[in-house]
Amino acid sequence: MRLLILTICLTFFTNLEVFAQTKFTLKPSQSMILTGKGPGQDGTKNPYFGEDCYAIVKNIGETKFSIRIQQNGKIIREITFLKGELKKVKLLKEHELYIDPNDKGISKASIDYQKINNKENNSFNN
């Protein structure tokens, strides 16, 4: 019986480490850094800060928005998210992730982070 309880607890706590989710609502004039500057400066807590990971971004609002990946002030990539769209984006440890709302309305986003499993095929990289 103790083994069963221990197994359930380990499964629960292991799954908590795999994802860290945050939901955002942004007004048209707001822009926010989500991760990359470090604790106290980031809009989300990335449990994989300092290592390569995936950002899983979903548009949970009615208007489109975009994310921006930067490194040392240089924009590396911009990705637009339409209503309901979900994308998994690879972030290298030195990347900064920003969210830029649509200027025509309130934007809502859900952000998760996932550790990169070295055994998986990393071809799913929007």
Side-chain angles (χ1 to χ4, degrees), residues 4-126:
L4 177 62
I5 293 171
L6 181 62
T7 303
I8 291 170
C9 288
L10 285 175
T11 301
F12 177 72
F13 289 120
T14 302
N15 286 336
L16 283 179
E17 184 181 333
V18 174
F19 292 101
Q21 180 178 9
T22 306
K23 294 182 181 178
F24 287 94
T25 300
L26 292 161
K27 295 177 182 174
S29 61
Q30 290 179 302
S31 188
M32 179 183 285
I33 183 164
L34 297 174
T35 189
K37 292 284 187 181
Q41 297 180 36
D42 293 344
T44 62
K45 183 179 181 210
N46 180 354
Y48 310 109
F49 180 75
E51 60 184 287
D52 298 345
C53 66
Y54 289 115
I56 302 167
V57 182
K58 183 174 184 181
N59 184 339
I60 57 174
E62 299 296 320
T63 61
K64 70 179 179 178
F65 64 83
S66 62
I67 61 168
R68 177 169 36 102
I69 300 170
Q70 288 188 195
Q71 182 177 353
N72 298 325
K74 180 182 173 191
I75 296 174
I76 295 170
R77 195 164 177 206
E78 292 180 276
I79 303 167
T80 299
F81 289 79
L82 302 176
K83 178 182 173 182
E85 197 166 23
L86 172 80
K87 294 181 183 178
K88 186 175 183 179
V89 180
K90 189 174 187 179
L91 290 177
L92 301 180
K93 63 182 174 183
E94 52 286 317
H95 285 173
E96 299 167 3
L97 177 65
Y98 294 83
I99 184 168
D100 299 313
N102 186 329
D103 61 355
K104 294 184 174 43
I106 294 174
S107 299
K108 294 182 181 182
S110 170
I111 314 294
D112 295 330
Y113 297 98
Q114 183 180 18
K115 186 173 184 144
I116 294 176
N117 183 346
N118 291 331
K119 295 179 183 178
E120 73 184 11
N121 180 353
N122 290 335
S123 64
F124 183 56
N125 186 17
N126 285 316

